[in-house]
Amino acid sequence: MAVNEQAVEQIVKQILSQMGGQTVSSSASNTSGAIPSKVRIAFLSEIGKMEIKEYPMPEVGDDDLLVKVEGCGICGTDVHEYKRDPFSLIPVALGHEGTGEIVKMGKNVKVDSAGKAVKVGDKIVTCMIFKDDPEITMFDLNKKNVGGADVYGLLPDDDVHANGWFADYILIRGGLGSTFFNVSELDLDSRILIEPCAVLIHAVERAKSTGILKFNSRVVVQGCGPIGLICIAVLKTLGIQNIIAVDGNPTRLEFAKRLGASDYCNFKDYDGTEAMVKAAYNKFGGHLADFAFQCTGSPAGHSNIYKFIRNGGGLCELGFFINGGDATINPHFDICSKEIVTVGSWVYNLRDYATTFDFLKAAKSIGLPMGELITDKFALDDIDAAFQKAASMTGLKIAVVSK
C-alpha cells in the first residue's frame, strides 16, 4: 500500500500537539502563540532620526532563531551613530544590548554557544557574529574579542532587515556564525545589562593580567557613566574595598558609593588636576592609586589619569570605543619614570559573556542595586525620544522595552 507522506506528517503534528509538545513545522518549532506577518523595526534612517519601518516577518531557517524582543539598552555607541554615523551604516537597524524570548526555532538548533539546551520560550542574549573567521572556534572562547567579529545592531541593512534589537522581533541567523546564550534564569533588567557588564568583565580581566590589581589594591575609577559605575560594581564583587570614583556629576558620584566606591572626588570641587590628585592621595591615607581605570572617553581624562597612579602601578584604558581624538602625555613622567603597566580594553569575548552571568548573580547577592542603572524606559514607538534622552546624558542607562 502506498504511503501518503503528507497525511503521515499531519498525523504526527496532531499527536505532538495533543501531547502538549511544540508545534512542529518542517523547518521550525513555535509555541508562543500567533506570530504576526509583519515586523516593526526601528531604523536610523538619517543622522538624528529614528524611524519605525514595517517589513514582512522573515522566514526561519533550519539554523535560525526568531526572538520576540523584550528590551534593549541604548549604548554610547548607538548614540555616536545617532549623532554622526561614524561607522557609515545608515540606514541601519540599531540595538545590540538586547534580550528576548525564543518564539520559533530551526530544527537544527539544540544548544546555545555554551552548550546549554535551548527551547522555545527560553530567554536569550546575543554575543558576537563570527562569520567564517578561521581564527575563531567555539572551543577557544578567549581567542578574540568582538573587534574580530560583528554584532547584531551594527550590521549593514540587507533583505532580512530584522538585524537589530530595537524592534518587535529579531532573526538570529545560524548561517552568519551567530553566538547566543540562554539566560532564562536572569530577570529582564539584568539581561538588558549583560552587554555593558561584559565590557567591564573584560576590562577587569585585562587589568588582572598585569599582576598589579589585587584584593587590597587602591583603585581610581575615572568617569561615572554606566561603564565606570559598572566597573566599580565588578571591583566590589571581587572584594576590592578601596575605590575612589572621579566624576563631575554629584548624583552619579553618590550612586558610585552605592555600587561599591569607598569615596569620590568631584573634579568641579578642585582647582586643577594636581589639587584633585592630592585629594585622592589624602583619601587613600597618603598613597597614590595602585591601579586606575579610565572610563571617560575624554582625551583630557586620559592625560590626567597617570597622575593618580603610584610608581609601578597599573592602568586600564577602556573609554575609547570610537576615535575620540588625541591625548597629550609626557612619556617620561607619566610612563617611563613611574614604570606604569598599561593595558587597553575594547569590548569583550565569548568567555567574558559567560562570566558576566555569574557577576550579575554575585552583585545581586551582595545587594548592589544594578537594576537602578536603568533610569529610563521607553516604548518602541518612542524610540526617537529615547535616543534624545540618551544623547542628553541626563540619565544613566536608557532602555527600550516591550509593552
Side-chain angles (χ1 to χ4, degrees):
M1 185 175 74
V3 178
N4 187 328
E5 293 183 0
Q6 188 174 17
V8 171
E9 182 178 355
Q10 292 301 316
I11 292 171
V12 171
K13 288 181 183 180
Q14 183 178 0
I15 293 172
L16 288 173
S17 177
Q18 291 171 351
M19 292 173 61
Q22 297 182 355
T23 302
V24 178
S25 70
S26 59
S27 63
S29 57
N30 164 30
T31 63
S32 290
I35 296 172
S37 61
K38 301 285 187 179
V39 57
R40 297 187 311 147
I41 305 167
F43 273 82
L44 180 65
S45 56
E46 58 185 81
I47 291 175
K49 182 180 180 182
M50 296 295 293
E51 181 180 355
I52 296 177
K53 298 183 179 181
E54 193 173 80
Y55 290 98
M57 186 67 69
E59 293 293 324
V60 180
D62 289 349
D63 301 302
D64 302 339
L65 296 168
L66 183 65
V67 179
K68 181 175 174 56
V69 177
E70 294 182 323
C72 183
I74 297 179
C75 179
T77 302
D78 293 321
V79 175
H80 288 308
E81 187 65 19
Y82 179 76
K83 287 181 174 180
R84 55 184 183 274
D85 189 26
F87 305 116
S88 300
L89 289 172
I90 290 177
V92 59
L94 292 175
H96 58 272
E97 296 181 354
T99 182
E101 177 182 336
I102 301 172
V103 294
K104 195 172 186 179
M105 53 193 290
K107 65 182 181 181
N108 294 336
V109 183
K110 307 296 183 184
V111 297
D112 71 3
S113 299
K116 184 177 180 179
V118 290
K119 64 183 183 304
V120 169
D122 283 339
K123 315 292 187 177
I124 70 159
V125 291
T126 48
C127 191
M128 296 173 278
I129 300 172
F130 287 146
K131 295 187 176 177
D132 57 353
D133 190 334
E135 296 184 13
I136 305 174
T137 73
M138 293 300 99
F139 302 103
D140 185 2
L141 301 186
N142 295 306
K143 199 158 191 176
K144 276 194 177 183
N145 69 0
V146 77
D150 291 322
V151 294
Y152 286 99
L154 290 171
L155 294 175
D157 189 30
D158 58 16
D159 57 356
V160 173
H161 304 300
N163 298 324
W165 283 94
F166 294 132
D168 290 330
Y169 293 82
I170 184 171
L171 183 70
I172 311 306
R173 289 177 278 172
L176 287 184
S178 306
T179 60
F180 70 96
F181 293 92
N182 182 348
V183 287
S184 298
E185 71 276 15
L186 296 176
D187 61 80
L188 177 58
D189 286 351
S190 295
R191 287 186 274 128
I192 289 173
L193 291 171
I194 286 171
E195 199 273 352
C197 286
V199 171
L200 278 308
I201 292 296
H202 185 73
V204 171
E205 290 299 321
R206 294 281 293 143
K208 286 162 60 179
S209 73
T210 66
I212 298 170
L213 185 65
K214 306 288 187 181
F215 177 83
N216 61 346
S217 292
R218 304 174 187 91
V219 180
V220 164
V221 176
Q222 182 170 253
C224 290
I227 294 298
L229 289 170
I230 296 170
C231 182
I232 291 167
V234 173
L235 295 171
K236 183 67 173 180
T237 62
L238 293 177
I240 297 174
Q241 303 295 321
N242 214 349
I243 306 167
I244 291 179
V246 177
D247 200 272
N249 184 311
T251 301
R252 294 185 174 194
L253 288 168
E254 287 296 334
F255 192 39
K257 292 191 72 171
R258 296 180 61 204
L259 286 174
S262 51
D263 211 334
Y264 60 73
C265 291
N266 186 330
F267 63 74
K268 294 181 180 178
D269 294 338
Y270 303 97
D271 185 15
T273 302
E274 296 299 333
M276 182 169 58
V277 170
K278 181 65 174 178
Y281 175 89
N282 291 334
K283 290 174 186 288
F284 280 139
H287 300 276
L288 290 173
D290 301 301
F291 208 95
F293 291 84
Q294 207 298 110
C295 308
T296 67
S298 162
H302 180 85
S303 298
N304 293 339
I305 195 65
Y306 296 90
K307 297 174 177 60
F308 288 96
I309 306 169
R310 66 164 171 83
N311 286 8
L315 166 65
C316 179
E317 171 58 71
L318 67 144
F320 293 89
F321 295 101
I322 65 167
N323 180 4
D326 296 335
T328 301
I329 66 170
N330 185 306
H332 170 68
F333 289 115
D334 293 335
I335 299 177
C336 295
S337 66
K338 296 177 81 171
E339 293 197 342
I340 287 177
V341 179
T342 302
V343 293
S345 184
W346 202 72
V347 290
Y348 43 76
N349 60 34
L350 270 176
R351 179 68 70 190
D352 301 318
Y353 244 59
T355 304
T356 298
F357 312 148
D358 289 326
F359 155 68
L360 284 163
K361 294 171 188 175
K364 184 176 182 178
S365 73
I366 63 173
L368 299 186
M370 297 299 296
E372 293 183 33
L373 282 162
I374 304 175
T375 54
D376 300 87
K377 295 180 179 179
F378 290 80
L380 183 63
D381 288 330
D382 300 320
I383 185 80
D384 216 42
F387 266 79
Q388 291 171 25
K389 177 69 176 181
S392 73
M393 299 183 68
T394 55
L396 287 173
K397 177 58 63 180
I398 313 303
V400 177
V401 298
S402 300
K403 295 179 179 179

